Structure formats: C-alpha cells, structure tokens
Amino acid sequence: MASNIIEHGQAAAPVDGTVGDRHGKKNHNKYRRDKPWDNADIDHWENNPWDESTGDTLPGGRLLEESSFATLFPKYREKYLREVWPLVTRTLDKYKIACELNLVEGSMTVRTTRKTSDPYIILKARDLIKLLARSIPAPQALKILNDEYNCDIIKIGGLVRNKERFVKRRQRLIGPDGATLKALELLTQCYILVQGNTVSVMGTHKGIKKVRTVVIECMNNIHPVYNIKRLMIMKELEKDPKLQNESWERFLPTFQKKNLSKRRKPRQVVEEAQKAAKNGGEGKVRSKKKSYTPFPPAQQPSKIDLQL
C-alpha cells in the first residue's frame, strides 16, 4: 500500500509522527501553543522587590540549605573595613544575612540564616563584599542591595602586556582631573571606579554594557573620546520617538584607522636636509651603508709587522 502511494507522487507520513512538508522538512511550530498570560503590555525587565506582606514566601517557610560566599581583600583596605563594618552588619541584618570580617586571613564572608526569606539577597551580599574589596566606599557599595542596581568588575590587567603602555591607557580612561570618567558616568548613569587592574561599575544592565565596551576598547588603543561622542549622539536620538524603529547608523560617526605609508622623519633630520639643499649640497653627506658580505674582514697587520 505504501509503495502504491509513493508511486502516485504522494509523500508518506513520517514514522515518528512529526508533521513535514513535501520536501521532508520538520514543522517546528507544531507544538507551539498560545500564551494568554503573556502579552505586549508586560514589562519583563521590571524588578519587583521581595515583599513578604504581598505574599512572597518560600515553600516550607525557609531556605533548605545555608549558602555562603567569601572574598579576600588587600592589606591596605583593612583599616577602612574595620571602621565601616558595623554599618555593613546593621544593613545586612535588615535582610537577615550574617556577615563576618576575618582580619587574620584577610577575608569577608556572608551567609544566609534560618530567618532569611529572600533567596536572591545572598547574591547581592556577595556583590557587596566584592565591591568593598575593590575600594568602593561603603555608602555607595551598600546601594547594590537594591534591586535597581547591578554591578560588574571588569578585569583590565591582562589586556595590555607592556606595563608602561597599560598605565598610559588606564590614565587615558580616567582623563585629566577625571573628566573623561565623569563624562562616561553622566552618559551611562553608572558609578565607575578605576582601581589597580580592575574597573568597578555599578548601575543598570544597559549602562554597564556600554561602560564595558568603552573600557575594553580603551585598553585596545581606541580613545574613549570617540565612544563618548557616539554615546552623546545616541542619547539625543533616544529623545526622538520617530527614530525608535529606524537605524541610527547614518547619524553615528565612523572612525577609521589611518595607516601612514611613510615613517615620520625626525625634525633634526629634516632641517639638516633643508640646509644641505640651500648650500648646494655642501652640507654633511651621510656615508652610505656598506653592502653585506658573508666573508670576514681581512686581518689587520700587527704593530710588529708595521715596525718591520
């Protein structure tokens, strides 16, 4: 029967039950179902804070296991952490998170307790101790416990091998009197701190992504002023509702690298050549480079041979 169907030009149904077209391709929309609970009016990026009064509770009433995170901090940070640790402890107590400062090992630890109700707050506490270890002031670092804030620690130490070149590019990111860094903070609405081999960023996901791009490109020898100019234009374009569904490439500047065909001559060499041309070639003429020969030079006569 199957052979008769194939002979008459009709494709047989697949054995596994999947719906296919005449070319044998699978229909991936077969198991798609409508989602009446999901519509365009829902903001999936909205952060709803954990609130027990509105019915946010854990199954069983508490966390099943204890979670803890620890991080080391440098020696120069010890004095400041000892001063602000009471403030950190009081703030974390509101979220039912225990914290410990170990000055012998040089570490900070946060862990959940039996009273902890928010399952995500331990990850926020982990980010808090990371930021404190990277020299961010405690009042600023404690803002990470709010759901509106996120953080990222960008490692820039391994992007440039030469130490002097690394220091110059890092200073280029900061700018004169911190002007470049301040402009980047205003455009991205983020808090940025350059410390050692890392750049700590606090803000929204969108702003952190922009800062990471600028920082990595700065370490790859692209001046941050170009990216700042691009961000300024994008900020103005966002205000125009007519351009929301259009491409912005025609408004954004494109910067290309210039490959110089000739090596720039030093000023002293250029001046000497100009003087020689004015004097009719009477200036110093540099001796031509001798052609390379694989044979060693002839042996010079000794002093005794010369005396004889």
Side-chain angles (χ1 to χ4, degrees):
M1 184 68 181
S3 61
N4 294 335
I5 294 172
I6 294 170
E7 285 175 4
H8 286 84
Q10 296 178 4
V15 180
D16 57 355
T18 56
V19 178
D21 57 6
R22 29 184 312 207
H23 300 291
K25 293 181 180 178
K26 291 183 178 180
N27 183 10
H28 295 283
N29 294 327
K30 178 187 176 184
Y31 298 105
R32 295 284 175 88
R33 297 287 182 267
D34 292 332
K35 299 175 182 177
W37 62 88
D38 193 6
N39 52 61
D41 298 332
I42 298 174
D43 185 10
H44 295 284
W45 287 97
E46 184 183 2
N47 283 325
N48 295 320
W50 183 272
D51 191 0
E52 295 181 5
S53 61
T54 59
D56 290 335
T57 55
L58 292 170
R62 65 184 184 87
L63 296 169
L64 190 62
E65 294 288 340
E66 179 190 279
S67 301
S68 64
F69 293 98
T71 186
L72 300 175
F73 59 86
K75 185 70 176 175
Y76 64 84
R77 198 72 177 141
E78 181 180 323
K79 182 182 177 182
Y80 178 78
L81 288 174
R82 199 185 305 171
E83 293 173 359
V84 301
W85 199 250
L87 173 63
V88 176
T89 307
R90 286 196 303 270
T91 308
L92 289 176
D93 280 344
K94 297 176 184 177
Y95 298 95
K96 309 296 189 296
I97 293 290
C99 59
E100 179 187 351
L101 177 66
N102 192 331
L103 298 176
V104 178
E105 296 179 358
S107 66
M108 292 179 284
T109 310
V110 289
R111 64 173 61 87
T112 57
T113 61
R114 290 190 174 186
K115 296 180 180 179
T116 306
S117 59
D118 187 355
Y120 190 70
I121 195 65
I122 185 63
L123 299 179
K124 289 284 190 178
R126 176 200 63 183
D127 293 340
L128 169 64
I129 58 176
K130 278 186 180 179
L131 295 172
L132 287 172
R134 294 315 307 152
S135 299
I136 288 187
Q140 176 67 33
L142 288 170
K143 293 180 182 179
I144 198 63
L145 297 173
N146 301 329
D147 290 335
E148 295 82 17
Y149 281 87
N150 300 284
C151 74
D152 188 14
I153 296 176
I154 307 165
K155 297 180 180 179
I156 58 174
L159 298 178
V160 184
R161 291 185 179 181
N162 191 338
K163 186 66 182 290
E164 293 180 3
R165 194 174 297 165
F166 168 74
V167 172
K168 284 182 180 178
R169 291 183 186 177
R170 186 181 62 182
Q171 185 60 36
R172 187 185 297 169
L173 179 65
I174 298 170
D177 298 329
T180 306
L181 204 64
K182 188 66 178 175
L184 196 59
E185 285 182 345
L186 292 172
L187 287 169
T188 58
Q189 299 297 316
C190 292
Y191 175 85
I192 309 170
L193 180 72
V194 181
Q195 175 71 19
N197 292 332
T198 59
V199 179
S200 304
V201 191
M202 287 179 63
T204 60
H205 284 293
K206 194 175 179 182
I208 289 172
K209 188 177 179 182
K210 291 177 183 176
V211 173
R212 174 174 274 275
T213 304
V214 175
V215 169
I216 291 176
E217 287 191 353
C218 180
M219 290 293 117
N220 292 332
N221 203 21
I222 297 175
H223 204 284
V225 168
Y226 298 133
N227 282 308
I228 287 173
K229 187 176 181 181
R230 190 182 180 90
L231 289 172
M232 288 173 68
I233 295 171
M234 289 173 68
K235 190 173 182 180
E236 293 298 322
L237 292 173
E238 285 175 358
K239 297 176 183 178
D240 191 353
K242 297 178 182 178
L243 298 173
Q244 285 184 354
N245 299 323
E246 294 184 16
S247 176
W248 293 351
E249 290 299 324
R250 56 197 172 105
F251 301 107
L252 300 176
T254 54
F255 304 104
Q256 297 178 354
K257 288 185 177 180
K258 293 181 181 179
N259 293 324
L260 300 176
S261 58
K262 293 183 179 180
R263 180 178 173 274
R264 180 180 170 277
K265 293 181 180 180
R267 182 174 55 84
Q268 190 176 0
V269 176
V270 174
E271 288 177 355
E272 287 179 2
Q274 290 175 353
K275 285 180 182 178
K278 286 180 180 178
N279 298 332
E282 294 178 0
K284 290 184 180 179
V285 180
R286 293 193 175 188
S287 59
K288 292 184 179 180
K289 208 172 186 179
K290 294 181 180 179
S291 58
Y292 171 76
T293 55
F295 306 105
Q299 187 176 4
Q300 298 295 326
S302 64
K303 290 183 179 179
I304 299 173
D305 293 338
L306 292 171
Q307 287 175 0
L308 290 173

